[in-house]
Every structure is written in C-alpha cells, then in structure tokens.
C-alpha cells in the first residue's frame, strides 16, 4: 500500500519571529495555527486531528481555544528538532487510515524569552543517559557532543571550519531576503571565522538562534485539499530514522552518521524521485555541521564530501541544491523546523518572494533532533 | 531565571549503583552480559545482543584511545564557568565501549584520533567520583 500523495499541505501559518516577547508560547502557537487554517480556507472547527510539538501547547489547548467538537486524532512525535517533519508521516498515516481529514501541526516557543536550552535539556527523559553520565563532566548541551561529531568528521575527512562558514554565510544571505527573519545584517566568512568559540570546532555563527515565535501547517486528505483555497502541495513520501545509540552519541558506532541516513533511501524510493529531481531543500540547521552531515546522509554527496559540496555557491539560490531559502534556524528563527516546512510549501507554491527558486516543483524538508533522530519529507507542487 | 551554580550530579539507581560505587573506589567497572559476554556502556538493564537481563560487572583496564573531542568555551552551565575552557574527550576503551570525560593535564592542541590515554579518577562528592582522561604514563 503506497501512501504516495495521499495527503497534501493545504495551509501554512507563522507569527512574526522575534528575539524578545512578553507573549506566551501558547498565544503564539494559536496565532500561527489560526493563520495556517485561514490560509487553507478552513474553519478552526474543521480540524479533526492535531499533532502539537509537545512543548508549549497540547491538543486540549486547541480544542479549548477553537471549540473543536470532535477531535478524532491526536499524537505527539517527541523527537526534538525532528518532531515537526516526523509529524508529517504521522499525519499521513492517520489521514490515510480514515481517522481524520485535516491534521494541524503547530509549534510555538519562547526560546529567547523563556527558559534557555541548557536548563531545559536536563529534565527531558530522552536526555537521561546524558544527564547521568555526561552532564556531570560538563557536557551540558547537545552542542558539545555535536561538536565532537564535527571534530571526528574533520579529522577523518578533512572538513574545515571554512566549509561550515559557507553554510552560515549562505543561509544569512537568504535571510536578508526574508522580511520575517530576525537576522538583518550581512555575515561574511571573516565574521564567521573570527566569531567567538562556543565549543570547538563550533563558533558563534555555527550555532542557531534562540527565538520567540510559532509556525503551523495543515495537512489534508489530497482529494479534499484540491478544492481548498490554495494549490495543494502533495506529500510524495515522508519518514523518520533513528540512529544507533540514539540517546548516547558517545556510544554511537559511527559518529559521522545521523538517523536520517536510515530513512533517506526509503523515503526517496517511496517518492519515486532521485536526488537530481530536488529543486529546493530545507535542511534542519541547528548547527552548520548538522547541515553538512545531512547532505551526505541524504545521498547528495558521498560521506566525507559534504565540505566540498557546500562550496562554490552550490547551496545558494542559483546553485545545484538551494537550501534554507528562508534563512533557516541559523538566521531566520529557531522554530524547531516548522518554519522549514512552511518555507518548502511557499517555494513549491511559488510564494517564495525574493528568494523564490524559479520553477521549483519538487523539494524536501528534513528534521534533526534529540541527538540524532531524523525525519524527511519530499513534496511536489499540485 | 538564574541558573544553578551547583554542578549536575547523576541519579543513582539500582541499575547504575555498582558503576558509581566502583568509581568512588577508583575502579572503572563495566557491565558484561552474563549470558553472551557482550560488554555494554552506559549501564542499562538489557543486553542488546541477546536480550538477557543477567549482568556481571568487570573491571576495565583503564587504557583507551582518543575517538574525538571538543574544547568548550561557552558557559553552558554556571557550575563549570570557572573551569572554562575545558576539554571533553570521547575515548574508545580497550574493552570496546566509549566514555566521555574531561581531560586533566593533556594539551588539547596535541590531541589526535587514536592517541593513547588512560582513565583517571576525580572525587566530586562523597558518593560521586567522575572519570577523567589523563596521559597514559
Ligand atoms: Zn548478551
């Protein structure tokens, strides 16, 4: 049984992205959700399935605020930054099974104004192993273990900080074309190379932002989506992949391989497309290195060749694989990748504004989170 | 919200108590499956090779090689602020599993994959001693 194009993204919504707000994550989430529902031409009461991010708002909040009378499906996909894209697979399965017709994915956070990452992580069950065996030694943030992943990649394959800079600089260039990006000043390679060290090899500009804001997406049964307000963006395939030793990177057999490597071939196969068919890619970018590693794990280049792949404008708007056309988590805002889904849909609708990739018909979006979990969705314009 | 200046400590459970007790006595102990002999780390209830829950504890040699590392400069936690910058090294223990710990007396600029190191011990509280990565000699 193929799930290919059984569902489509019918609506997208965002709040303004900020660094500093008095508003609650709940309020931001509701605003983005209402925007997405209105974009689809639906009423809030048409929503019969909800997959909230798991932090900020729960399914019951949407029932309460929207007056939904018969919520028929709710779930969470607790995979950190992979949650948003993983929830596309979850929505697809629920809709195709006949459980519901319109699933709302919504993600809001006060990552800048609320509790910062270091304080959050220790309390999350998926970080228990790290909390017991690594945090006492000072490995507090996943960034420090991701840095060790990047160092290993550098030692094995000759990847350099200059390669990582290329990702940061390209992404910033895209953000400058986006009115809803929180970074508004140009970034040069030199700026990157002289920025302060966070945890080597990561410098400040290898790290994503902490942001306040929310984004949401409505996924609908394809035959219904065809009659809604906007051109449907079909989900050709979606999947999730979990790395070996998912909760302890230290013990992972191959430090340079992420969970998305497990699902990439499967999802491309189900979609029936090749890497060359991808016109635009929104790649989860909590850190520059994570982009580079995913490009390899997705099969756009061989393992170890990610550094060369990102150079020479290849990932820019006129490159062979334009990525993160909105500015990503590095320079637009850290909305845990829901903003990547929103941007992919924009590009495939032709609503990409100044950063529109001309003729973009097929694209992909990835998620990465919780120390290696991955998710991938491939979409096509209807 | 002010963050705690107290360093985080592990939660001692029935699953991991032998590990922490041994560290306090200056020994690095690892779990070995009592059924198939596979060594595993970090401590956990089930062998992923044969799914046996029978476990025995064996003493590690303390010999290891560098697998990867990072030098941390950012104060991710107030409790470590005065120690910045510090080096965290992932090592391959001779027994085939890994460990992540801070270095003592090693120059981060001289680190390389495969470099021989040794596990040392550093007492933090009466109940907790942490492994540290030191020179092999
Ligand atoms: Zn066993």
């Amino acid at each position: 049984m193929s799930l290919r194009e059984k569902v489509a993204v019918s609506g997208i919504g965002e709040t303004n992205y900020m660094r500093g707000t008095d508003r609650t994550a709940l309020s931001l989430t509701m605003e983005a959700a209402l925007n997405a529902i209105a974009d689809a031409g639906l009423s809030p009461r048409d929503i019969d399935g909800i997959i909230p991010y798991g932090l900020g708002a729960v399914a019951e909040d949407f029932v309460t605020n929207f007056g939904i009378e018969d919520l028929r499906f709710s779930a969470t996909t607790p995979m950190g930054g992979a949650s948003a894209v993983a929830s596309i697979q979850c929505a697809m399965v629920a809709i195709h099974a006949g459980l519901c017709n319109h699933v709302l994915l919504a993600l809001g956070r006060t990552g800048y104004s609320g509790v910062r990452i270091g304080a959050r992580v220790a309390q999350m069950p998926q970080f228990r192993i790290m909390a017991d065996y690594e945090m006492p030694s000072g490995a507090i943030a996943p960034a420090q273990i991701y840095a060790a992943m990047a160092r290993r990649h550098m030692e094995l394959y000759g990847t350099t900080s200059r390669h990582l800079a290329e990702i940061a600089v390209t992404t910033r260039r895209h953000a400058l074309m986006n009115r809803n990006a929180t970074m508004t000043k140009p970034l040069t390679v030199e700026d990157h190379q002289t920025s302060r060290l966070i945890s080597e090899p990561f410098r400040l500009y290898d790290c994503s932002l902490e942001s306040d804001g929310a984004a949401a997406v409505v996924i609908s049964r394809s035959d219904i989506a065809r009659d809604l307000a906007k051109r449907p963006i079909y989900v050709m395939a979606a999947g999730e992949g979990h790395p070996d030793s998912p909760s302890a990177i230290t013990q992972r057999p191959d430090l340079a391989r992420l969970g998305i490597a497990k699902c990439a071939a499967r999802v491309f196969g189900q979609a029936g497309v090749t890497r060359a068919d991808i016109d635009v890619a929104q790649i989860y970018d909590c850190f520059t290195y994570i982009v580079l590693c995913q490009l390899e794990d997705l099969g756009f280049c061989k393992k170890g060749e990610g550094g060369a792949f990102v150079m020479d404008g290849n990932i820019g708007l006129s490159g062979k694989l334009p990525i993160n056309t909105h500015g990503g988590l590095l320079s637009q805002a850290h909305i845990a990748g829901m903003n990547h889904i929103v941007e992919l849909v924009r590009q495939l609708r032709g609503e990409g504004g100044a950063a529109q990739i001309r003729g973009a018909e097929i694209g992909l979006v990835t998620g990465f989170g919780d120390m290696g979990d991955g998710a991938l969705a491939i979409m096509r314009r209807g | 919200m002010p963050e705690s200046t107290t360093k985080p400590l592990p939660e001692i459970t029935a699953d991991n108590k032998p590990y922490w007790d041994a560290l306090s006595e200056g020994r690095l102990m690892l779990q070995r499956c009592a059924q198939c002999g596979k060594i595993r780390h970090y401590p956990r209830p089930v062998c992923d090779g044969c799914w046996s829950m029978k476990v025995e504890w064996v003493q590690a040699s303390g010999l290891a090689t560098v697998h990867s590392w990072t030098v941390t400069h950012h104060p991710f936690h107030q409790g470590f602020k005065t120690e910045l910058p510090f080096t965290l090294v992932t090592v391959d223990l001779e027994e085939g599993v890994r460990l992540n710990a801070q270095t003592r007396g090693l120059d981060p600029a001289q680190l390389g994959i495969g470099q021989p190191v040794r596990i040392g011990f550093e007492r933090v509280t009466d109940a907790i001693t942490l492994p540290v990565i030191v020179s092999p000699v």
Side-chain angles (χ1 to χ4, degrees):
Chain A
M1 181 180 68
S2 170
L3 295 177
R4 192 172 184 268
E5 299 187 10
K6 298 292 187 194
V7 304
V9 177
S10 58
I12 53 176
E14 292 171 296
T15 63
N16 281 328
Y17 297 143
M18 300 159 283
R19 302 176 84 206
T21 183
D22 294 332
R23 295 180 58 187
T24 61
L26 177 62
S27 161
L28 293 165
T29 307
M30 292 300 149
E31 180 188 331
L34 288 171
N35 288 344
I37 294 163
D39 182 60
L42 291 166
S43 154
R45 291 195 187 168
D46 292 327
I47 298 300
D48 54 5
I50 293 175
I51 307 177
Y53 178 48
L55 302 170
V58 296
E60 288 82 350
D61 288 320
F62 296 89
V63 174
T64 304
N65 283 276
F66 296 172
I68 297 171
E69 286 166 6
D70 186 15
L71 183 68
R72 299 166 53 176
F73 175 75
S74 70
T76 56
T77 52
M79 295 163 62
S83 297
V85 176
S87 59
I88 296 173
Q89 172 181 253
C90 188
M92 184 167 79
V93 168
I95 291 170
H96 187 62
L99 301 177
C100 50
N101 293 325
H102 302 289
V103 178
L104 172 70
L105 321 182
L107 194 163
R109 57 204 312 239
T110 50
Y112 185 89
S113 300
V115 178
R116 297 293 182 91
I117 182 75
R120 275 200 310 271
V121 163
Q123 288 134 30
M124 295 161 77
Q126 57 270 51
F127 290 102
R128 195 172 295 132
I129 290 175
M130 199 173 157
D132 280 342
Y133 301 104
E134 300 188 348
M135 288 185 195
S137 292
I140 299 298
Q144 293 165 281
I145 310 288
Y146 299 167
M149 289 165 37
R151 171 58 64 197
R152 175 97 184 158
H153 197 281
M154 288 176 160
E155 296 293 314
L156 292 182
Y157 305 116
T159 309
T160 65
S161 178
R162 175 66 185 81
H163 294 135
L164 303 185
E166 194 70 15
I167 294 168
V169 167
T170 303
T171 310
R172 177 63 60 88
R173 205 178 300 132
H174 299 171
L176 297 183
M177 307 170 89
N178 184 343
R179 263 170 299 179
N180 196 16
T182 57
M183 291 294 105
T184 55
K185 289 188 194 134
L187 182 75
T188 65
V189 169
E190 194 191 346
D191 292 336
H192 173 280
Q193 296 285 281
T194 55
S195 64
R196 72 182 168 93
L197 290 163
I198 300 298
S199 199
E200 294 179 50
F202 293 154
R203 293 178 174 278
L204 177 65
Y205 293 121
D206 290 307
C207 307
S208 51
L209 301 163
E210 297 190 283
S211 312
D212 303 322
V217 167
V218 180
I219 304 215
S220 301
R221 220 174 70 198
S222 286
D223 57 332
I224 304 175
R226 278 193 272 279
D227 296 326
L228 294 178
K230 290 287 176 75
R231 172 200 284 269
I233 302 302
Y234 295 111
V235 179
M236 302 184 82
E240 65 185 58
H242 299 262
D244 299 329
S245 188
S247 299
I249 290 172
T250 294
Q251 308 294 344
R252 190 168 300 163
D254 185 351
L255 245 55
R257 192 170 186 262
L258 306 174
I260 200 164
K262 301 254 182 116
C263 72
R266 189 164 71 226
V267 174
F268 270 96
Q270 286 165 358
V273 299
T274 69
R275 279 63 175 176
D277 294 321
I278 301 298
D279 299 315
V280 59
Q282 314 301 348
I283 309 286
Y284 197 88
D285 57 334
C286 48
F287 296 91
T288 50
Y289 166 74
I290 297 298
V291 174
L292 187 150
C293 193
Q294 285 177 92
L295 290 171
E296 296 174 348
D297 289 339
L298 286 164
F300 285 103
C301 59
K302 287 199 194 114
K303 181 52 69 186
E305 294 178 359
F309 183 86
V310 302
M311 299 303 284
D312 306 322
N314 283 336
I315 56 172
L317 294 184
S318 51
K320 62 180 172 190
L321 184 71
I323 69 163
N324 298 351
T325 46
H326 54 331
L329 309 181
L330 290 167
S331 280
Q332 187 200 28
H334 196 320
I335 311 299
M338 194 67 84
N339 50 329
H340 289 53
I341 303 175
V342 166
E343 175 66 9
L344 177 62
V345 171
R346 278 216 176 97
Q347 286 282 340
L348 297 179
R349 283 177 176 178
E351 297 175 355
Q356 177 66 44
I357 305 301
R358 208 176 307 153
E361 289 185 4
I362 297 174
L364 66 76
V365 58
T366 74
F368 164 89
D370 280 3
M371 300 197 281
D373 294 345
L376 169 64
I378 300 175
M379 301 190 196
R380 172 180 80 77
R381 79 189 298 173
Chain B
M1 192 170 86
E3 273 183 66
S4 170
T5 54
T6 313
K7 289 183 183 182
L9 291 171
E11 186 186 343
I12 310 264
T13 67
D15 292 334
N16 67 25
K17 192 169 187 301
Y19 175 71
W20 293 111
D21 284 352
L23 282 177
S24 285
E25 295 161 9
R27 288 176 293 122
L28 175 64
M29 299 292 282
L30 301 171
Q31 286 180 314
R32 183 168 68 192
C33 173
Q35 180 110 346
C36 77
K38 185 173 179 179
I39 292 197
R40 62 181 187 260
H41 201 52
Y42 300 115
R44 53 183 181 266
V46 180
C47 170
D48 71 344
C50 74
W51 312 297
S52 168
M53 295 182 76
K54 291 198 200 94
V55 68
E56 54 197 20
W57 291 83
V58 294
Q59 184 166 353
S61 70
L63 299 178
T65 54
V66 172
H67 191 82
S68 194
W69 68 94
T70 184
V71 182
T72 294
H73 298 260
H74 180 76
F76 287 103
H77 191 289
Q78 293 305 308
F80 294 93
K81 201 169 179 178
T82 58
E83 297 166 25
L84 294 171
F86 58 81
T87 306
L88 287 162
V89 176
T90 301
V91 298
D92 288 297
L93 296 175
E94 196 177 44
E95 290 75 16
V97 293
R98 299 200 197 116
L99 198 83
N100 191 280
Q102 279 195 39
T103 56
R104 292 290 179 260
L106 291 177
D107 178 1
Q110 300 299 318
L111 290 172
I113 289 178
Q115 178 183 336
V117 289
R118 188 169 54 83
I119 305 301
F121 305 91
E122 201 169 277
R123 183 170 292 280
V124 179
T125 69
D126 284 347
I128 300 297
T129 291
L130 293 175
V132 288
I133 310 299
V134 299
S135 168
V137 285

